[in-house]
Amino acid sequence: GEIGYSSTDIDSYEKSGYVMSGSRHARMNAVRIRKENQIYSAEEQRALALITLEENQQKEQALLQDFREMLQDKLKDGGEKADNKNGGD
């Protein structure tokens, strides 16, 4: 370990290529945090994709409902015009 060495000694050892346990610990923590962030990012991307899919399905349903209503109105109006032409009401 580094016990008994000054910070300048530790720096010189690290510059020569030695990996001190404190530096290794900090490096391992940094790697772990990066990996956790990647996992969270992937989970967030999946959740966002699911939300987008649901929103698109809702928009599609609303559009289909609008078309159904428009079609019903057209059919109803068309039926009334046909009755008027044939002398109805």
Side-chain angles (χ1 to χ4, degrees):
E2 298 91 19
I3 298 173
Y5 291 104
S6 69
S7 61
T8 54
D9 289 340
I10 293 171
D11 284 339
S12 67
Y13 288 134
E14 287 183 337
K15 286 178 183 173
S16 359
Y18 290 99
V19 178
M20 307 307 264
S21 62
S23 299
R24 183 174 55 234
H25 182 68
R27 204 172 304 142
M28 288 170 59
N29 275 343
V31 169
R32 181 183 52 80
I33 289 170
R34 272 197 308 275
K35 286 184 179 182
E36 285 177 358
N37 288 339
Q38 288 174 351
I39 291 169
Y40 293 143
S41 295
E43 289 175 356
E44 290 169 356
Q45 287 174 357
R46 279 193 293 273
L48 184 60
L50 184 61
I51 290 170
T52 304
L53 176 68
E54 290 173 354
E55 288 175 349
N56 288 342
Q57 287 176 341
Q58 289 174 354
K59 287 179 187 177
E60 185 177 335
Q61 288 299 319
L63 185 63
L64 285 173
Q65 185 60 36
D66 288 345
F67 281 139
R68 285 186 189 110
E69 290 172 3
M70 187 170 48
L71 183 60
Q72 289 297 325
D73 290 344
K74 290 284 186 185
L75 290 175
K76 187 171 79 173
D77 290 344
E80 290 174 1
K81 288 180 184 174
D83 287 343
N84 289 340
K85 284 184 181 179
N86 292 331
D89 295 324

